[in-house]
């Protein structure tokens, strides 16, 4: 996906502040943090959104959640944190490459919508 912002970050064409990287996933600081800790975790292989997860590509999602738990511990989010994935226009998805927001470091608003 040559026009995908997050694919460009993975390729190193756009800079990011990396938090974690392995052969399958990349985690980096959100450029416009909504909480003291705001990290994005993405698969290196382009998947457009949660709506595109299927039998062939879903194993990376469980790996992403292992990485999320690891990052949350390393970031000291012992009081809790939120994991969010916006899917599609109604949810306000702006980057069409699957990503999971890790939000924490403060008492988060409880409203879900
Ligand atoms: P969403 O609105 O759920 O699609 O989330 C996209 C997220 O990507 C937003 O929180 C943006 O602040 C973040 N973002 C956009 N461009 C960059 C960038 N170059 N580096 C890091 N985060 C970015
Ligand atoms: Zn992409």
């Amino acid at each position: 996906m040559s026009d995908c912002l997050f694919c460009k970050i993975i390729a190193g064409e756009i800079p990011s502040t990396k938090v974690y990287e392995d052969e399958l996933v990349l985690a980096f600081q959100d450029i416009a943090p909504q909480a003291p800790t705001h990290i994005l975790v993405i698969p290196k292989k382009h998947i457009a959104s949660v709506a595109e997860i299927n039998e062939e590509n879903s194993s990376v999602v469980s790996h992403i959640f292992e990485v999320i738990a690891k990052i949350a511990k390393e970031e000291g989010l012992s009081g809790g944190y939120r994991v969010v994935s916006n899917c599609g226009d109604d949810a306000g998805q702006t980057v069409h490459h699957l990503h999971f927001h890790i939000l924490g470091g403060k008492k988060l608003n409880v409203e879900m919508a």
Side-chain angles (χ1 to χ4, degrees), residues 5-6 9 28-32 40 86 92-95 99 101:
L5 175 67
F6 287 174
I9 285 177
F28 54 98
Q29 301 287 353
D30 195 291
I31 204 167
L40 301 174
N86 295 318
Q93 183 180 6
T94 58
V95 180
H99 54 282
H101 300 254

Side-chain angles (χ1 to χ4, degrees), residues 1 4-7 10 46-47 96-97:
M1 291 293 287
C4 171
L5 175 67
F6 287 174
C7 282
I10 291 160
H46 183 90
I47 299 171
H96 295 275
H97 181 126

Side-chain angles (χ1 to χ4, degrees), residues 26 40 45 80 84 91:
L26 177 67
L40 301 174
K45 185 160 174 269
V84 174

Side-chain angles (χ1 to χ4, degrees), residues 91-113:
Q93 183 180 6
T94 58
V95 180
H96 295 275
H97 181 126
L98 180 66
H99 54 282
F100 293 86
H101 300 254
I102 305 173
L103 295 153
K106 69 168 188 179
K107 200 85 177 170
L108 299 164
N109 296 329
V110 294
E111 291 82 19
M112 290 298 288

Side-chain angles (χ1 to χ4, degrees), residues 24-44:
L24 294 174
V25 310
L26 177 67
F28 54 98
Q29 301 287 353
D30 195 291
I31 204 167
Q34 305 296 308
T37 298
H38 189 170
I39 292 166
L40 301 174
V41 189
I42 66 175
K44 286 191 169 175

